[in-house]
Amino acid sequence: MKLEPSEVQPLTAESRNTNRIGGSGGGAFMESDSPYSASASAPPNFAFAFNDSNFSDRILRIEIMSGPTESKSDGEGCNSIADWARNRKRRREDIKKEAGFLDGCEEHIMISSHPDTDDAAAYENPDEEAVAMIEESPTTVAMLSSPAADDCGHGSSSWSMDCSTIVKVRTIHISSAILAAKSPFFYKLFSNGMRESEQRDVTLRISASEEAALMELLNFMYSATVTTNTASALLDVLMAADKFEVASCMRHCSRLLRNLPMTPESALLYLELPSSVLMADAVQPLTDAAKQYLAKQFKDITKFQDDVMALPLAGVEAVLSSDELQVASEDAVYDFVLKWARAHYPKMEERREILGSRLGRLIRFPNMSSRKLKKVLTCNDFDHELASKVVLDALFFKAETPHRQRSLAAEETSHKRFSERAYKYRPVKVVEFNMPHQQCIVFLDLKRGECAGLFPSGRVYSQAFHLGGQGFFLSAHCNMDQHSAFHCFGLFLGMQEKGSVSFAVEYEFATRSKPLCDFAVKYKGNYTFTGGKAVGYRNLFQTPWSSFMAEDSPYFIRDTLHLRAELTIKPQ
């Protein structure tokens, strides 16, 4: 006779908290009434009671089964996380050799909203419900169903015993109270009120590769420690803890894995764990650490472009989510995303899907240049409706006042689409006019920290902007004044090299300053540009660098230096 999952009653809030101080009027819960209440003190150590008949009320019979001999597909037939990970790596490498790009189908990472309880976060996963079996003998057999396939159709039969035979049996004395206190799986098994919950013997069937992980898990539920210290073994224990819902062990393994030296391979492994494991709150610190490692390892995307191109989807997402990404501009991020997507997803439908649902959210369109935004509207890789929306949102953001832009950036915390990265070329805001003359007004903001980093001889460049069909840029310098007496702040205007055409421009530089915080013109000039030439003023503020950077400097408003350049082309 087989009990359906619905017959194993779930652990509800009412069953966990039966005694409430003050009746039903909304008083506090008694922590001692819940077997899963968090404790500020160290967890009790019951190692002395492990497998000791004197402190046990049940016998756990572990039937160790022979597993499948070959892996049928990615994840299918893998009997441990380590096997699964190796199979995933081989599969990616084979595809790379055969097709010249990596597999584009990756797990869809989900973030759980489960409460962070101490030992047994009482979450229910309907795809991984425990199933109790009743045999003719008074022995209870508890089997785990196969976890659901991931979003790409890759399943893991880690706990499936189909077509297997028993190769070994282990018998362990257990305390139902200790196991139930640590695991909702065992709590439901021992307290669901059915006949099997009253039996002394309980049988678990596992594959041979899972034996060590299960023994470590059982030992942890008694002693709150694990004896293994290798990444592959800890991952197997983590998987076992996920299946048996031992949240405290998942947190412990996650913490131990974070303390091990991380590599790009291990970081990717943590990010590509099955979705059933990634859902757990206890694993989030590990995946966060993996994302941070990859973002730091490949933050100079220009230097490591080939390496980043070879990353799977989860790795690319980690790199592109970083504020510290060192890249020329957001235009370059957009170009890289298209290049990666075209290499990994050659089919247009798949590419549109991955750009719309995953990678498109990591492109910070409001920080792209207007010229590049126009190209987004005509790019077939993006759904037309999505492209129109992101471009319209970006243009609305560019039209906002600087104060409103800062507010929007502060409010956006999910994908940081309004936040700036560590761009090599600083974003600018440009207002263009065609009448009565061709003219543009360019606004460039620099943080105090950016200015401080220019000393003693550094420079920072703006993104390109255009006037009369020619490309220009601004550059801020820390240099010596004309008499080499002291360092000072200089601002220059340059024209991008495009042949030897001559271009006459009137320009003026202005900056905001306290107490009025209005823009005041600091320098005016005329210059006939030829390709690659630049003009400007070496000491824009007529003050030494130390005075310019002082705490009471009038030129930094909320630690931001506001610069403005006005360019005009007049008929000759």
Side-chain angles (χ1 to χ4, degrees):
M1 176 179 174
K2 176 181 179 180
L3 293 180
E4 297 299 325
S6 60
E7 297 181 80
V8 182
Q9 296 299 319
L11 184 62
T12 64
E14 288 77 16
S15 65
R16 292 196 305 269
N17 301 282
T18 55
N19 296 322
R20 182 192 293 267
I21 298 175
S24 60
F29 288 105
M30 295 179 62
E31 292 292 336
S32 59
D33 291 338
S34 170
Y36 308 116
S37 59
S39 174
S41 59
N45 190 328
F46 299 109
F48 65 89
F50 183 55
N51 199 21
D52 190 322
S53 59
N54 295 320
F55 301 98
S56 305
D57 61 336
R58 296 176 190 262
I59 294 176
L60 179 64
R61 187 172 181 269
I62 303 175
E63 295 181 351
I64 301 170
M65 317 293 288
S66 61
T69 57
E70 293 183 0
S71 172
K72 299 178 182 180
S73 65
D74 182 26
E76 186 179 355
C78 299
N79 294 319
S80 70
I81 280 290
D83 293 340
W84 174 87
R86 286 191 292 269
N87 197 41
R88 292 281 291 176
K89 182 177 180 181
R90 284 196 303 269
R91 185 171 184 269
R92 287 203 307 269
E93 291 174 346
D94 291 342
I95 291 178
K96 182 178 180 181
K97 292 177 182 178
E98 294 172 4
F101 53 84
L102 298 179
D103 178 25
C105 191
E106 303 291 340
E107 283 80 11
H108 181 70
I109 300 174
M110 300 177 64
I111 305 300
S112 170
S113 58
H114 304 139
D116 188 20
T117 52
D118 180 52
D119 281 315
Y123 54 84
E124 304 296 333
N125 189 337
D127 294 326
E128 300 175 21
E129 187 67 65
V131 179
M133 305 287 291
I134 297 180
E135 299 178 346
E136 294 300 325
S137 65
T139 300
T140 297
V141 181
M143 297 178 63
L144 291 177
S145 61
S146 299
D150 63 25
D151 298 311
C152 296
H154 308 143
S156 172
S157 57
S158 301
W159 302 87
S160 175
M161 297 298 108
D162 296 339
C163 303
S164 303
T165 57
I166 300 175
V167 296
K168 184 170 63 173
V169 176
R170 297 187 66 163
T171 301
I172 299 175
H173 296 278
I174 60 171
S175 166
S176 59
I178 292 177
L179 267 59
K182 295 290 184 181
S183 162
F185 169 82
F186 285 108
Y187 180 87
K188 288 179 286 186
L189 187 63
F190 296 143
S191 65
N192 63 7
M194 306 301 289
R195 181 164 65 90
E196 73 276 7
S197 66
E198 301 174 358
Q199 303 301 325
R200 174 175 171 79
D201 293 353
V202 177
T203 298
L204 291 181
R205 289 178 180 173
I206 63 173
S207 68
S209 63
E210 297 159 349
E211 178 184 359
L214 179 59
M215 295 306 297
E216 284 283 1
L217 178 64
L218 292 172
N219 177 71
F220 176 88
M221 286 194 278
Y222 277 81
S223 65
T225 61
V226 294
T227 60
T228 187
N229 57 7
T230 65
S232 60
L234 286 171
L235 283 171
D236 286 338
V237 178
L238 178 66
M239 184 64 160
D242 172 66
K243 300 303 178 184
F244 287 100
E245 304 173 54
V246 187
S248 59
C249 186
M250 294 183 72
R251 271 191 294 274
H252 185 72
C253 291
S254 176
R255 183 166 57 251
L256 292 177
L257 287 168
R258 294 199 310 274
N259 290 336
L260 293 177
M262 195 169 293
T263 65
E265 291 74 21
S266 64
L268 288 172
L269 174 59
Y270 302 150
L271 294 179
E272 291 188 299
L273 290 171
S275 57
S276 61
V277 180
L278 290 171
M279 286 176 63
D281 290 339
V283 183
Q284 292 307 303
L286 177 61
T287 56
D288 289 345
K291 292 175 183 178
Q292 293 171 8
Y293 172 84
L294 289 175
K296 183 177 180 180
Q297 183 78 8
F298 300 113
K299 67 178 181 180
D300 191 341
I301 195 172
T302 303
K303 180 179 179 181
F304 297 103
Q305 184 166 160
D306 291 341
D307 296 304
V308 182
M309 276 295 298
L311 292 177
L313 178 60
V316 168
E317 286 182 313
V319 173
L320 297 184
S321 297
S322 173
D323 289 343
E324 303 304 318
L325 187 66
Q326 295 178 2
V327 65
S329 65
E330 197 67 27
D331 290 2
V333 175
Y334 170 81
D335 290 336
F336 175 82
V337 168
L338 284 185
K339 182 179 179 181
W340 186 93
R342 288 167 180 168
H344 291 254
Y345 295 86
K347 295 182 179 179
M348 177 65 76
E349 291 184 1
E350 295 178 354
R351 187 159 67 247
R352 279 193 171 188
E353 169 63 24
I354 209 67
L355 287 171
S357 62
R358 305 284 287 271
L359 290 179
R361 296 180 297 176
L362 302 177
I363 302 174
R364 303 180 182 183
F365 292 96
N367 291 329
M368 289 173 56
S369 67
S370 297
R371 286 205 163 197
K372 184 66 75 171
L373 288 174
K374 291 179 182 178
K375 294 185 179 181
V376 176
L377 292 175
T378 59
C379 179
N380 292 327
D381 298 85
F382 283 90
D383 176 77
H384 179 71
E385 184 177 348
L386 173 63
S388 298
K389 182 182 184 304
V390 298
V391 170
L392 189 61
D393 289 344
L395 294 176
F396 274 126
F397 177 80
K398 290 177 179 293
E400 294 285 0
T401 63
H403 173 73
R404 178 59 179 160
Q405 288 178 346
R406 288 191 294 270
S407 298
L408 289 172
E411 293 169 2
E412 177 64 80
T413 57
S414 56
H415 301 294
K416 301 181 180 180
R417 54 179 176 161
F418 300 129
S419 301
E420 296 182 2
R421 307 183 196 264
Y423 299 121
K424 180 179 179 180
Y425 303 119
R426 303 295 302 144
V428 292
K429 181 176 181 180
V430 183
V431 181
E432 299 182 30
F433 302 93
N434 288 322
M435 298 293 290
H437 307 289
Q438 285 188 307
Q439 182 184 48
C440 70
I441 302 175
V442 184
F443 298 90
L444 172 63
D445 292 346
L446 298 176
K447 299 294 185 183
R448 182 187 287 270
E450 292 175 310
C451 292
L454 297 178
F455 186 85
S457 59
R459 59 186 63 187
V460 61
Y461 296 93
S462 78
Q463 291 181 2
F465 52 91
H466 293 79
L467 178 66
Q470 297 297 318
F472 292 86
F473 62 90
L474 295 174
S475 61
H477 296 214
C478 174
N479 42 228
M480 302 297 289
D481 78 333
Q482 292 180 337
H483 303 290
S484 299
F486 51 79
H487 288 89
C488 53
F489 181 90
L491 184 62
F492 294 83
L493 170 67
M495 187 175 78
Q496 291 180 318
E497 188 168 357
K498 283 191 175 181
S500 58
V501 62
S502 296
F503 213 71
V505 175
E506 288 186 2
Y507 65 95
E508 69 174 36
F509 297 151
T511 183
R512 294 175 65 187
S513 59
K514 301 173 184 176
L516 298 180
C517 297
D518 293 332
F519 277 102
V521 176
K522 294 293 183 181
Y523 186 75
K524 288 185 177 183
N526 294 275
Y527 193 73
T528 300
F529 285 92
T530 56
K533 298 295 184 179
V535 65
Y537 199 59
R538 296 177 64 88
N539 191 356
L540 186 66
F541 300 107
Q542 294 294 302
T543 186
W545 185 266
S546 57
S547 300
F548 163 68
M549 290 297 302
E551 287 294 327
D552 59 351
S553 172
Y555 304 112
F556 288 95
I557 302 172
R558 296 190 181 92
D559 281 337
T560 300
L561 176 66
H562 301 274
L563 301 170
R564 186 188 73 189
E566 183 174 321
L567 284 67
T568 305
I569 300 175
K570 291 185 178 181
Q572 296 182 354

